Amino acid sequence: MANPILSQRDAFTARAPQSGYQQGYAQPGFPASGQQQYGQAPYGQPQYGQAPHGQPSAFGTGPVEPSMTLDDVIGKTGITMLTLMASAVASFLFLPAGLLMPALVLSALVGFVTVLLVSARKKINPGLVLFYSVVEGVFIGAFSQFFEYRYPGIVSQAVLGTFAAAGATLAAYKYFNVRVGNKFRRMVFITTAAFAGVMLVNFVLALLGFTMGVRTGALGLVVALLGAGLAVFNLVIDFDDIERGIAMNAPASESWRAAFGLTVTMVWLYTEVLRILEYFRR
C-alpha cells in the first residue's frame, strides 16, 4: 500500500460497507468453485445491469449504484484539478505579499487535516474533496508566488514538468503493462511514510524557528529528487488501484476517492519539481 487514500482498507475492497450495493463487485476474481454466483453478473460485467438505476434490487435491501468506470475517474479528476488550479491562480495573482506566509502555513495545516478526514471516512464526501481542492489551491498559489518572486518563470516550468512527468508515468504504466506487486507496495508505503514523517517534523521545527537542513544545499536536492521519485511511484500505485477498483465493479461514487488520491499525489509531485528547479536556478 502507498497512497493512504486509495489504499486504505475501505477503498475499492470487499471490506467497504456499501449498503444497498450488490456484493459481487467486491471479489476481483471468479468464485472459488469456478461457478458464477447466484444473482451475480459474470466477471467483468457491471453489477448494476441487473436492476434499473434507482430501483430496488430483486434480492437486495436498497437501490443498486452504478459501477465506477474510467470515464467517471477522468471526469471527477478533471473537476478536482480544475478547482484546485482556479484557486491556485486566484491566490497566486491576488494574495497580498503580507498574507503570503500566513496563508501558506494555514492552508498547509488545513489541507493536511482534510486529507486525514477524507482518508478516514468509509464513504467518500464529494464536498470535502472539493473543499480540499480549494484549500490546497491556496497553498499551491502561495507556494508558487514565493518561488516566482525569487526566480521569475520557474512556476510555468514546474507546471509543465509536473504534467510531463505524470504523462510519462501513465504512458510507461500502460505501454509496458506494469503490474504492481505487494513487495513494491510495501517498499513504497514504508519509504513514503518515513519521508512524510521527516517532512512533518521539519515543518513543525520551521514554525518554531529551527531547521533540520533537509531542504537546503545539496541535501535539499537529494531530498527533492527522492520526493519526486516517491510521488511518481505513488502515481503508479494510484493507477493500479484505480484499475483494480474498476475491475471489481466498485460503486461509481468511489471515483471521487480515486480523483482525490490522484490530486493529492499531483500536488506533492508539483512541489518537489518546483524545489528541484529552484536548486538549479539558484
Side-chain angles (χ1 to χ4, degrees), residues 12-16 22-29 47 248-250:
F12 308 152
T13 69
R15 289 183 289 268
Q22 295 189 11
Q23 300 300 314
Y25 81 89
Q27 298 298 328
Q47 298 296 315
M248 291 188 294
N249 292 323

Side-chain angles (χ1 to χ4, degrees), residues 5 18 21 65 72 75-81 83-84 114 117-119 121-135 251-261 263:
I5 299 155
Q18 306 292 346
Y21 305 149
E65 182 176 347
D72 292 334
K76 301 304 188 300
T77 303
I79 293 173
T80 57
M81 289 297 296
T83 302
L84 185 145
T114 306
L117 290 176
V118 175
S119 301
R121 292 176 65 92
K122 295 180 179 180
K123 188 171 179 61
I124 196 72
N125 185 334
L128 203 55
V129 172
L130 294 178
F131 173 76
Y132 166 82
S133 295
V134 173
V135 171
S253 58
E254 288 297 291
S255 58
W256 281 107
R257 191 186 306 277
F260 183 58
T263 303

Side-chain angles (χ1 to χ4, degrees), residues 221-276:
L221 175 62
V222 173
V223 171
L225 289 171
L226 175 62
L230 284 174
V232 167
F233 289 151
N234 274 276
L235 269 181
V236 171
I237 295 178
D238 290 349
F239 297 150
D240 186 71
D241 285 336
I242 291 168
E243 279 199 338
R244 289 170 182 261
I246 293 173
M248 291 188 294
N249 292 323
S253 58
E254 288 297 291
S255 58
W256 281 107
R257 191 186 306 277
F260 183 58
L262 287 173
T263 303
V264 171
T265 307
M266 288 291 289
V267 167
W268 179 18
L269 180 59
Y270 170 77
T271 59
E272 299 301 340
V273 169
L274 193 55
R275 289 185 180 278
I276 293 172

Side-chain angles (χ1 to χ4, degrees), residues 167-210:
T169 303
L170 177 59
Y173 176 80
K174 299 299 293 183
Y175 181 77
F176 294 107
N177 197 26
V178 175
R179 289 293 173 263
V180 179
N182 291 331
K183 185 176 180 180
F184 177 78
R185 287 174 176 270
R186 286 194 296 270
M187 178 189 70
V188 173
F189 174 74
I190 292 172
T191 311
T192 300
F195 184 89
V198 172
M199 292 302 102
L200 181 61
V201 171
N202 184 68
F203 178 73
V204 174
L205 289 177
L207 293 179
L208 299 176
F210 302 97

